Amino acid sequence: MEKIQNYIDGALVNPISNQYLDNYEPSTAEVYSHIPDSDKKDVDAAVKAAKQAFPAWSKTTKDKRSAILYRISELIEENLEELAAAESKDNGKPVSLATKVDIPRAAHNFRFFATAILHFASESHQMEEGAINYTLKQAIGVAGCISPWNLPLYLFSWKIAPALAAGNCVVAKPSEITPMSAFLLSKLCIEAGLPKGVLNIVHGLGHKVGAAITEHDEIPVISFTGGTATGAQIAKTAAPMFKKLSLELGGKNPTLIFDDCNYDKMLRTVVHSSFANQGQICLCGSRLLIHSSIYERFKSDFVREVKKLKVGNPKNADTNQGALVSKAHMEKVLSHIEIAKEEGGKVLCGGYQVDLAHEGLNGWFIEPTVIEGLNMDCRTNQEEIFGPVVTMMPFDTDEEAITYSNSTKYGLAASVWTENISRANQVAEQLHMGIVWTNCWLLRDLRTPFGGVKQSGVGREGGFEALRFFTEPKNVCIKY
Ligand code: NDP
């Protein structure tokens, strides 16, 4: 059985303890590879390698750094098929999604930051007293990057690429639940000629490897994407050490559907924004708020379209919904459906695990589930479920839709459907979210700031925001 290895100091190596964890294929529920059960010792080795590589890498010209990152993006594209198949097998997502979204976006992340760094300028401020200030933006040192399982290579590369482009060396941990594409990436980095120690990937558990990265006193900057509770734990550890932190956390995103929207376009997109990747995207809209005048029409059309989504083998091209990432996660989502019922919710479609044993698939599939009849304050409408479950609620006025939208502790993203440009702008302004999409969803320009407010996170990634995060500004004042 294949053994995944850590990538430390330019080489693929076994964990120092020689201990491994099982890696499951979500669609079959079978173990198909082993993951290093790394610990603090492996993290220490990775930090040592990164520290040694830092002086040379931070002084390597931007052109050279850019060329290496660009080569990594080309290699990801050249290996798209293999990476997409690996991502699908490891995560349970349809291979069509990995081929169209996850892997191309990972290549794009490297390409984007390979070129962004060439255009990253600093400011200067002239003073009437006869002095000029200029700002140096210097690489910080060893950056820690910790990412989740839902979009494995997509989110892993979203952190690593800007950190490396800015001249830092990196110690990174992918989710232990989905390690395979990060392992394949380490091979591509070697092939691309990334100098040894510049990027180090340590596989293993959050409370061992993740915690060792967070606690390490020679890692002054941490970029984390994952759940809000884990983010709080990381912040608690990092704060007294005065680490620079970027936290991209959970969400409970509203989709606001007004009666003046382009109905057909809205319906098509909302099916997708509710259930893409089995609802396991932090940006999926899990609370559908619908103007009462079109509520019944939308309900019948939406439920009809959702029932058409094919739950099946992630390897098949016509599968819309693959498996959930783990047994524990599937059970968590199913328990939320039970809570919704206890809270008085009416399940309009779905609600159960799907048995695909007859196809040789004993994994973790759930029917896409639509629930109505719940109030805004109930647990189902307040807590992140992170699965193929959405609720529907009617509203009468714009103010009501905005109040409902802003009613949770989260504030990541919203999607607004209206053809009235004034309404669109007014609503966008009043939503407490980091991102508002109008008449679209997940349309991403990588130059824009990305992140959430309230308990959805601290800081912004994307574009120059990411390069600013991974550099330390230093003001130099010269009197002439
Ligand atoms: P987790 O918070 O459980 O894990 C995220 C990463 O942190 C994993 O690599 C995990 O390792 C690691 N980790 C766990 N415990 C610790 C610790 N004590 N110290 C350091 N690292 C630790 O999130 P999930 O993987 O379950 O991802 C789902 C969550 O991510 C959802 O809440 C979702 O909303 C959020 N998310 C947010 C996004 C955003 O941009 N705002 C984007 C995508 C997802 P291990 O896997 O071994 O536990």
Side-chain angles (χ1 to χ4, degrees):
M1 197 170 286
E2 185 173 17
K3 270 191 175 147
I4 288 172
Q5 289 177 293
N6 290 331
Y7 172 45
I8 296 177
D9 206 14
L12 299 174
V13 294
N14 297 334
I16 293 168
S17 67
N18 219 20
Q19 297 298 306
Y20 289 83
L21 302 160
D22 290 336
N23 189 24
Y24 288 86
E25 180 174 355
S27 63
T28 61
E30 278 166 19
V31 175
Y32 82 100
S33 59
H34 293 298
I35 318 157
D37 183 9
S38 312
D39 56 31
K40 187 176 175 313
K41 288 194 188 114
D42 304 280
V43 172
D44 286 344
V47 173
K48 190 172 166 216
K51 274 195 72 182
Q52 271 166 6
F54 179 68
W57 181 247
S58 57
K59 287 190 185 67
T60 299
T61 63
K62 287 187 181 58
D63 280 342
K64 179 88 192 290
R65 290 204 301 263
S66 170
I68 294 173
L69 295 183
Y70 205 92
R71 183 65 194 132
I72 295 173
S73 86
E74 287 175 339
L75 286 170
I76 293 174
E77 274 167 354
E78 286 167 25
N79 292 276
L80 188 143
E81 237 173 83
E82 187 198 351
L83 284 163
E87 192 86 301
S88 164
K89 184 170 183 160
D90 209 28
N91 172 280
K93 66 178 65 204
V95 71
S96 57
L97 186 70
T99 306
K100 266 194 255 128
V101 178
D102 292 76
I103 308 306
R105 173 59 191 276
H108 192 186
N109 287 341
F110 275 103
R111 197 167 56 241
F112 177 83
F113 285 108
T115 51
I117 193 64
L118 302 176
H119 304 272
F120 185 46
S122 73
E123 305 84 27
S124 82
H125 302 87
Q126 199 171 7
M127 298 172 76
E128 291 72 18
E129 289 86 344
I132 184 108
N133 296 271
Y134 63 88
T135 309
L136 289 175
K137 289 181 177 156
Q138 296 174 306
I140 301 172
V142 182
C145 297
I146 303 174
S147 58
W149 48 258
N150 63 326
L151 304 169
L153 196 60
Y154 177 132
L155 289 174
F156 196 59
S157 53
W158 179 235
K159 299 180 176 310
I160 289 169
L164 296 177
N168 301 285
C169 293
V170 170
V171 175
K173 187 194 108 57
S175 171
E176 148 261 332
I177 301 165
T178 53
M180 190 54 87
S181 52
F183 175 52
L184 297 175
L185 175 72
S186 46
K187 295 183 182 178
L188 298 182
C189 289
I190 295 171
E191 193 179 337
L194 190 69
K196 65 178 195 169
V198 169
L199 171 63
N200 304 274
I201 300 176
V202 185
H203 295 273
L205 296 166
H207 67 270
K208 287 166 95 173
V209 176
I213 291 175
T214 311
E215 288 160 10
H216 207 291
D217 57 8
E218 292 185 286
I219 300 183
V221 51
I222 292 179
S223 171
F224 168 81
T225 300
T228 294
T230 317
Q233 178 64 40
I234 289 176
K236 205 169 152 189
T237 307
M241 300 174 84
F242 306 105
K243 296 190 182 210
K244 209 172 175 188
L245 269 190
S246 167
L247 301 173
E248 301 292 341
L249 310 175
K252 188 74 184 173
N253 309 310
T255 303
L256 294 81
I257 302 171
F258 291 92
D259 56 358
D260 57 5
C261 67
N262 177 330
Y263 188 85
D264 293 340
K265 187 172 156 208
M266 175 279 296
L267 184 64
R268 258 194 326 273
T269 312
V270 172
V271 171
H272 186 58
S273 64
S274 302
F275 295 110
N277 203 35
Q278 297 77 246
Q280 303 168 132
I281 300 181
C282 54
L283 304 163
C284 277
S286 54
R287 295 182 294 147
L288 306 184
L289 310 175
I290 306 120
H291 191 265
S292 50
S293 66
I294 57 168
Y295 185 85
E296 289 303 324
R297 178 184 174 203
F298 175 79
K299 176 166 125 182
S300 94
D301 292 341
F302 184 65
V303 170
R304 185 194 65 232
E305 293 305 311
V306 172
K307 282 182 177 167
K308 286 184 196 161
L309 293 175
K310 186 164 178 226
V311 182
N313 191 338
K315 293 192 178 92
N316 295 343
D318 64 345
T319 291
N320 305 113
Q321 297 278 290
L324 271 73
V325 76
S326 67
K327 184 163 187 277
H329 189 57
M330 179 189 71
E331 284 167 356
K332 181 195 142 189
V333 174
L334 289 171
S335 79
H336 272 283
I337 296 172
E338 288 313 307
I339 291 169
K341 288 183 200 160
E342 283 160 22
E343 290 178 323
K346 181 176 170 202
V347 177
L348 300 173
C349 66
Y352 296 101
Q353 185 177 357
V354 182
D355 184 358
L356 295 175
H358 58 281
E359 293 182 39
L361 302 171
N362 293 308
W364 308 306
F365 299 88
I366 295 187
E367 292 170 327
T369 301
V370 182
I371 303 171
E372 71 166 356
L374 291 165
N375 67 44
M376 192 50 58
D377 302 326
C378 68
R379 284 184 63 188
T380 308
N381 276 326
Q382 291 293 319
E383 296 176 12
E384 186 182 43
I385 299 175
F386 213 56
V389 180
V390 296
T391 61
M392 291 180 41
M393 273 148 296
F395 67 84
D396 289 317
T397 63
D398 294 16
E399 290 68 33
E400 212 174 19
I402 292 163
T403 304
Y404 287 172
S405 296
N406 292 339
S407 72
T408 76
K409 65 182 181 185
Y410 297 108
L412 187 55
S415 138
V416 179
W417 291 88
T418 174
E419 290 294 297
N420 177 335
I421 189 72
S422 299
R423 170 178 274 158
N425 285 313
Q426 279 166 16
V427 170
E429 196 179 288
Q430 293 176 72
L431 289 173
H432 301 159
M433 309 284 160
I435 303 150
V436 178
W437 279 292
T438 301
N439 298 330
C440 58
W441 178 72
L442 206 59
L443 186 56
R444 293 277 297 120
D445 181 328
L446 301 194
R447 294 169 298 180
T448 60
F450 179 91
V453 300
K454 301 198 280 185
Q455 293 196 19
S456 287
V458 180
R460 293 291 178 275
E461 298 184 338
F464 291 147
E465 298 283 344
L467 294 176
R468 275 192 277 273
F469 174 73
F470 283 114
T471 51
E472 201 67 84
K474 180 191 289 173
N475 189 64
V476 180
C477 178
I478 302 176
K479 182 111 170 70
Y480 46 82

